[in-house]
Structures are given as C-alpha cells and as structure tokens.
Amino acid sequence: MLQDAIADLLRHCEVCMRHAEDALGHELAAIRTGRASPALLDRIRVDYYGTPTPVPQLAAVSTPEPRLLVIQPWDRSVMGPMEKAILKSDLGITPTNDGKVIRLAIPPLTEERRKELVKMLHRRVEDGRIAVRNCRRVALEQIKKLERDKKVSEDEARRGQERLQKHTDVVMAEIDRLGQRKEQEVLEV
C-alpha cells in the first residue's frame, strides 16, 4: 500500500490535472463552430461601471435557432458597451441591436477559417497537455524528494510513480478525445 505522503501527493496531482482538463474544456467550448453557442460570449468582457464583466453576467443569452444568439441585457444602459465589446472581440461577428436585444447571426465558416480554427484548437490542446505534464513533473520531483529523504521506500516510490503515470495517461487520453471531438465539430459542414 502506498504511504500516506505519496497518496496525498497523488490526490493533489490528480486535482491539478483535472483542473487543466476542465480549463481546456472551457477554452474549447469558446471556439466558434458553425453553430451558435452561448459559451462563445464567456470570454468577452464589457466595461460595466468601470468593471470588466463577462457578457453572460450582464444578460440572458439564448439560441433560438442553430445559427443565432440572442442577448437580452438586464440593464439596457449596457447595450452600447456590450455591442462595442463584441465588435472588438475575435469572434468576427457583427451584432445587430434593436434597442431591446442584441442578435448575433453566426455565419457559416469558410474552409480557410475552419483550418485556422483547427490550428488554434491544436495549440490549445497542446497547452492542456503541457499543463498536465507540468503537474506530473512536480509530483515526480516530490516523490523523488520523499525517497531521497528516506520518508518512503524505493518500492513505494516506484509504485507511486507508476500510479502517477497511469493517471497521467488517462487524463491525456481524455484531453485528446476533447480535442478530436471539437475538431470534428469545427470541420463539420
């Protein structure tokens, strides 16, 4: 059985890896595909009384049609700044403001834009992998330090390293699966 110090270390590392995986999932959700998703607006910040605030905290966002986002702000005074923030963002969509709601018509993606999005997606997936490898590296260093300090035996350290590697492989496979699924969504016509 693994000693408590290694077990605690592994639990902490697993949490670190899951955070990296979750962060990647949120980033991938914000990548525009051919269909409308409220997650597209999560990273857009609007200056609301001097505080940069995400669009979903200022308005109800709905998708009445597959290629349309409707943003209904709770405070109409924020409509102008919200429209400007959307225009400045990297979405590449021009909002339509009728005084009550802002509509975002999601145009179909061109083949060139799809390829750009896939490249960006691959970079983000690789960043996720790097984050997981960093978690593993820190845990490995700590296991080796425990072994050097004679707090755990050589066998316990080896078992801890094997368990760490198994968990790393599981998380890496999940990250690859997330990337492949998003890539299919982007390339879907």
Side-chain angles (χ1 to χ4, degrees):
M1 191 70 196
L2 289 175
Q3 197 166 8
D4 288 342
I6 291 180
D8 288 343
L9 203 149
L10 291 175
R11 276 193 294 276
H12 177 72
C13 184
E14 288 174 11
V15 168
C16 175
M17 288 180 181
R18 288 296 171 196
H19 282 302
E21 181 184 335
D22 292 343
L24 176 66
H26 288 297
E27 280 197 32
L28 294 183
I31 293 177
R32 184 168 87 98
T33 60
R35 65 177 79 106
S37 167
L40 293 173
L41 303 172
D42 287 348
R43 294 183 314 180
I44 298 176
R45 305 267 187 246
V46 179
D47 184 34
Y48 187 62
Y49 295 109
T51 306
T53 310
V55 171
Q57 291 182 11
L58 297 172
V61 181
S62 61
T63 52
E65 299 172 22
R67 292 189 184 266
L68 181 69
L69 279 175
V70 176
I71 307 165
Q72 187 168 13
W74 292 301
D75 179 3
R76 289 204 182 141
S77 67
V78 80
M79 298 263 301
M82 190 177 292
E83 195 173 3
K84 287 177 186 163
I86 292 168
L87 283 169
K88 284 185 197 174
S89 73
D90 61 353
L91 282 180
I93 300 172
T94 305
T96 307
N97 181 348
D98 70 1
K100 294 180 183 174
V101 296
I102 297 174
R103 288 182 176 80
L104 296 176
I106 311 293
L109 296 172
T110 63
E111 189 64 32
E112 182 179 318
R113 181 67 178 145
R114 288 179 197 279
K115 288 178 183 176
E116 288 173 23
L117 288 173
V118 168
K119 284 180 186 177
M120 181 175 63
L121 182 135
H122 286 288
R123 281 193 306 270
R124 295 228 174 115
V125 168
E126 185 57 31
D127 290 344
R129 286 188 193 116
I130 290 169
V132 170
R133 286 194 295 264
N134 286 339
C135 294
R136 181 189 64 192
R137 180 182 45 79
V138 168
L140 277 173
E141 288 171 359
Q142 291 174 343
I143 289 173
K144 289 176 183 176
K145 184 178 185 311
L146 287 172
E147 184 182 356
R148 275 193 313 270
D149 295 345
K150 304 288 185 208
K151 292 182 180 176
V152 296
S153 71
E154 202 175 303
D155 289 341
E156 289 171 325
R158 185 180 40 74
R159 282 193 297 270
Q161 290 174 1
E162 288 171 0
R163 185 168 156 203
L164 175 65
Q165 186 58 48
K166 284 180 186 174
H167 187 70
T168 302
D169 293 342
V170 167
V171 174
M172 288 293 212
E174 181 62 24
I175 284 175
D176 289 340
R177 194 178 62 73
L178 284 171
Q180 289 169 351
R181 191 173 0 154
K182 189 64 177 188
E183 185 175 346
Q184 286 174 346
E185 265 183 52
V186 169
L187 294 175
E188 183 179 296
V189 179

